[in-house]
Amino acid sequence: MTSSLDQKISRRGFFKLTGAATAAAALGGSDSALKPGAAQAGTRLKPGFESKYTVCDMCFNKCSAIARVVDGKVQKLDPNPKFLKSRGMLCAKGNAGVRQQYDPDRLKYPLLRVGARGEGKWKRLGWDEALDLAAEKMKAIGEKYTRCGFMFMAGADMQSTFIHRFAKAYGSYNTLSHESQCLIAGTRAFLDTFGEVPIPDMLYAKYCLMMGANRFEALVTPDSIDMMTAMKQGMKLVVMDPRYTKTAAKAHEYYPIKPHSDMAVMLAIAHVLIKEGLYDREFVAEKTYGLEQLAKHVEPYTPEWAATESEVPAEVIVKIARELGAAKPAAMIYPGRRSSNYRDSTQVRRAFAIVNALLGNWDRPGGLTAARMVGLGGGVPLEEPFYENNPADRVDAGRATLMFPEEGSFKLARDAVLEANPYPVKGFFCYHSNPMQTVANRAKTARMFDQMEFVMVMDVAMSDTAWMADLVLPSQYYLERLDPCSAQQGSSACACVVMRDPVVKPMFEAKPVFWVMRQLANRLELGEHFNFSVEEFRNAQLKDLPGALEALQKDGVYYNPSKLYGVYEGRIYKTKSQKIELFNQRYADMGLDPMPVYRKPAQPEADQFRLVVGRNAVVTQSSSTSNSLLMEFQPTNHLWINPAAAKGLGIEDGDWVKVASPAGKQWIQAKVTDMTRPDTVYMETGFGVLSPQLAAHGRGACIAQVLVDDFDQISGNMAMHETFVTVSKEAA
Amino acid sequence: MANQKLAMVIDAPTCLDCKGCLAACKVANNVPDGKWRNWIKGADPERRASSPVVFQPGNCMQCDKPTCVEACPTGATYKNQADGTVVINRTLCIGCGQCLAACPYGARFKNTDLGVADKCDFCAERRKFGLEPACVSTCPTKSRKFGDLNDANSEVAKLLKANRAVRVANEQTRTDPNIYYLGEPGPTNWTVQARMPEAFDFWRRLADPVVKAVVGLSGLGVLAMLGKQLAMPKDAPPADGGAHEEAGHE
Amino acid sequence: MLKRSAAMVLALIIVFSGLGMALALEADGNSRKGKYLFRKSCRGCHAEGQQAKDMSPVDMTQAQWKQLFSDYKKLPCYDKWGNVPEKDVKDIYSYLYGHAKDSPSPAKCK
């Protein structure tokens, strides 16, 4: 099975998964119920249509939206103008949510695998049968391998809290989220500098240096929108990226930095700030720890030195440092979100955090702000049981220095499971997440599933991960669901709460994952932990927020007018020194570099390229690439390759090329463009879909198949950009 | 109710090319696969020497001298005097495609689902229910502003009064568009010269008054409207605010 | 609420710090079991609406927990602990210390 994953997937039908026809029959093909209502072209609304608040689920941002409903069918999703975090917008993906609701590829009822894993032969089950089976497997695996022998994974979903709750009640420490594919290195770095993860106050910034982020394409609310407003108000944006992104195109200045040299530039900026006395002396003296050590540490990191590492000219680095110094404290190094790049990503982002600290922008307008008080409670308390025979810790514990106990590391957990060290894990439940598409080294993920005794996946469609499962459960789409409340932070925009009520009736036999967890809990004698309804859970969350429910019903959002700036006045920082740590004492104690040390990174050989991955405003990840509307914007992905490099390889625009790494290979069409550096190739996420039950099947190449699974040594975050590939013009 | 002059005032430099307006329009108007009622010019940039790059959102410009209306042999396409939009009466449209070539902006397409010409109508259906055009309400950076230029208190009128604005037009085909761009408009070299039909010209002139009268009566169903249409000079000057100029090409 | 309870505990530390015969508990117990035992053994009293102040690992820093547990037998509520074996105390301490507010992974909620 695993070796065949390398095969080319194209419209020409190279990839033949046996039993696809069987699967199509089992899934029922097209269904008239899936045609959106109001079939007369050009008409969507009718007199008396309803407008209902909802919360978009096309990405993690959770934008409040208004569904326009006619005769029980959603016709259009509009932004909620009262929702300040999104600045009252709904992006292309949000608008395309209607198509997801009525996607002919939606799962309709539980399916049991009857062929080989990944072969695509399924049998329809009733819910009772499916739940009995799942409960029986969970019980058996828990008894045979301890409760930690069952692993749980849940994506960024408003009901994911119930999977974590179930895992705790069941007794497994092995829970995973998308975060170790995404942002935990950055989280680690800022937590270990400021004691918490900051929210950038983009709207009031006067100067922003953005590296390792593409905020005008990978939309994050309110940052993406506020960045444009700030620019209109005079903010200067400088972007460094190996790729000419739209963020680069909209920037005042753009520098095509050499990949993996961000730390060099940042240390040189610190060098100039300190040497020229441009840092905030008062702030640094009062609120930070370790200036003396830092000054000594960055002494050798001159702009001239950084220029040779980064290919950003020394005079540019000096100029940026001076401009940052002049604009401080309303000047920032954008902290970024996805930081799953390098083996030292925590240290790279530590360098970002340290320069921010030198600018004295913490807790001030236009800088990095602390989390505001929202006041949303944790819901119905859980009396977490303890299972005496359980192992001491997570299966991936200790594989990286400072991991987060709830998130763990998908990469390191997968390694541990494959090695059965320190103990075997034989069961897996995945909800609203798709590691077969998003996690580097897909062959390894497939092997992990191969060694599982039971894999259960719940999703709205037959994702690549569902395709590998034993039992597939149909999830309700967000427009059908009653969900708990969710707290959101948006710096000057808001500290707020959103919630989701059903907008339309559920289709087919789709169920919410809460219901599944409750049913399984009842079958496993854990019913006491799920002895409530979602409404009751929600009420418990809102108990300290009088008037919030009314506001949510009236406006679709509740705002807590909590303090925004100066939150830390008279408060200690949650670090060992109780100050902002330029020098991290705990790192020193643990034998880690207490300040970021630049070590010359490995570079691709002459015949290799560094592969970088990313997304744009019409692609979330694999969950959006089969959407019929978004597909019109981006039907497939391409390999961006620089004209100079392409010429040397005889590759022309549109040619099919083979991209190969130690992890695997894929075939993809080349996009020859000077928008990427000669040493760097780029692919978008979410394509090269294995599952023939998705419209995106046969389009483009899959990042997970070619990315090498290295990891950040401190946080355990995946390090995707350590991948070197060869590119050749070669037929499949 | 006084006649409206509906228009868009677009702040192109704030456009991110996120495609939100395209997606919103497509859903709101059931636009068929592969067709679009609106666009963003200058998207997917190759590496540019100058920065920041300006993307230019646009759609049918609801022109005051609409060449598409001239080109239409049946009178299906007409200028709605009540709100200034250029409208297509689908029952009268024979799908001949003359209007597509007659538009210097490529704003029209053949709706393959319906077999008629199609284009932006500033979301007439949504406006009927008090909603803004879909592209306007959904836009993250609110690059697109929409309103009535005849209403001095409208945001668009105020913006035009206070700022320098340009219209994108074709040197050979002046149409007096009702889309204004604040500041730098982005690419202006994409318009084309209108191709007006020759063969139908004679017949069109012959049939014109008759069909127009029919449209006035059946399409709008309001006699007073017909009166107004006849009384108003066809080339009514645009409501002028600030300094406008045309960014032309060719 | 939390701030007040933390202040109370701090006051207690100051009162008791002079008396302490440091027991020097190591934070190498089973923190996960500690979380469970903390709930079973401590939260009966230390919770909202109960006789003692609400309590969570993030109420204090690691140094403060260390100080507090250096001589836990002298804590004012020790007589109410009943027969908590030292092994369990160690687990509870490991949990509180390991998830203190300045720890690498502060407790997210109680």
Side-chain angles (χ1 to χ4, degrees), chain A residues 31 183 315 430 505 521 687:
Chain A
D31 191 301
L183 51 72
E315 61 274 17
C430 181
K505 287 203 174 71
F687 292 89

Side-chain angles (χ1 to χ4, degrees), chain B residues 207 212 216:
Chain B
K212 280 226 167 104

Side-chain angles (χ1 to χ4, degrees), chain A residues 449-586:
Chain A
F449 287 141
D450 278 342
Q451 72 88 54
M452 292 283 178
E453 291 178 13
F454 182 65
V455 178
M456 177 165 80
V457 174
M458 184 160 187
D459 213 324
V460 290
M462 185 68 86
S463 69
D464 283 2
T465 304
W467 187 248
M468 300 298 289
D470 297 283
L471 183 63
V472 178
L473 304 175
S475 173
Q476 288 179 356
Y477 195 51
Y478 82 87
L479 292 161
E480 302 164 340
R481 282 180 4 208
L482 179 87
D483 282 352
C485 293
S486 173
Q488 300 200 355
Q489 292 283 344
S491 185
S492 64
C494 65
C496 69
V497 177
V498 292
M499 69 174 196
R500 206 182 258 148
D501 279 336
V503 161
V504 289
K505 287 203 174 71
M507 295 172 75
F508 320 112
E509 295 178 17
K511 295 282 184 190
V513 78
F514 170 77
W515 180 84
V516 169
M517 294 290 97
R518 194 178 147 125
Q519 293 290 318
L520 289 175
N522 287 338
R523 282 167 168 80
L524 291 165
E525 291 168 22
L526 299 168
E528 58 181 301
H529 303 295
F530 278 86
N531 194 16
F532 55 87
S533 66
V534 175
E535 285 100 325
E536 284 162 351
F537 188 86
R538 200 193 252 180
N539 290 339
Q541 286 181 298
L542 292 171
K543 73 176 164 47
D544 295 330
L545 294 175
L549 191 62
E550 292 70 27
L552 282 160
Q553 282 159 350
K554 188 169 146 277
D555 299 331
V557 54
Y558 162 77
Y559 294 105
N560 190 326
S562 51
K563 195 171 178 180
L564 167 60
Y565 307 118
V567 170
Y568 267 75
E569 270 160 29
R571 209 163 110 182
I572 62 154
Y573 290 84
K574 289 173 264 178
T575 59
K576 200 168 175 185
S577 63
Q578 305 191 358
K579 289 186 168 193
I580 297 165
E581 296 208 339
L582 306 173
F583 178 98
N584 186 300
Q585 297 196 85
R586 183 173 286 114

Side-chain angles (χ1 to χ4, degrees), chain A residues 409-425:
Chain A
S409 159
F410 189 101
K411 185 258 177 316
L412 296 172
R414 185 180 65 191
D415 285 351
V417 172
L418 287 172
E419 293 163 21
N421 176 21
Y423 53 85
V425 173

Side-chain angles (χ1 to χ4, degrees), chain A residues 40 42-45 75-76 78-79 88-90 95 216 225 232 244 246 249-252 632 671 674-675, chain B residues 11 13 16-17 24 26-30 34 44-48 51-53 125-126 131 137-138 140 142:
Chain A
Q40 312 114 289
T43 2
R44 301 293 290 199
L45 304 179
Q75 298 297 323
K76 175 78 176 72
D78 280 331
M89 71 96 185
L90 197 64
N95 275 280
F216 281 150
I225 304 121
K232 223 173 139 57
Y244 185 69
K246 283 191 181 132
K250 295 300 297 179
H252 295 102
E632 282 200 62
K671 168 175 166 156
D674 65 354
M675 287 155 65
Chain B
D11 189 5
L16 306 177
D17 186 31
K26 183 150 240 181
V27 176
N29 298 295
N30 273 345
D44 197 18
E46 283 297 295
R47 178 87 178 274
R48 309 279 174 84
S51 59
V53 168
E125 183 186 271
R126 285 171 63 87
L131 301 173
S137 78
T138 221
K142 305 295 174 230

Side-chain angles (χ1 to χ4, degrees), chain A residues 689-708:
Chain A
V689 171
L690 287 174
S691 164
Q693 300 302 324
L694 291 177
H697 176 67
R699 292 163 184 255
C702 175
I703 60 160
Q705 187 66 17
V706 279
L707 285 172
V708 172

Side-chain angles (χ1 to χ4, degrees), chain A residues 86 131 210 261 287 295 403 432 458 590 606 728:
Chain A
S86 74
L131 292 164
M210 181 165 285
S261 69
K287 311 218 161 143
M403 293 167 69
H432 201 285
M458 184 160 187
M590 297 176 85
S728 52

Side-chain angles (χ1 to χ4, degrees), chain B residues 160-202:
Chain B
L160 284 193
K161 195 154 187 204
N163 297 282
R164 180 184 161 271
V166 297
R167 293 183 290 181
V168 175
N170 186 277
E171 291 280 323
Q172 269 71 43
T173 316
R174 297 299 181 111
T175 63
D176 278 0
N178 278 305
I179 291 192
Y180 294 83
Y181 292 93
L182 296 172
E184 173 60 46
T188 54
N189 61 351
W190 54 272
T191 63
V192 295
Q193 186 179 348
R195 275 191 293 122
M196 300 304 286
E198 302 287 336
F200 287 119
D201 205 42
F202 171 77

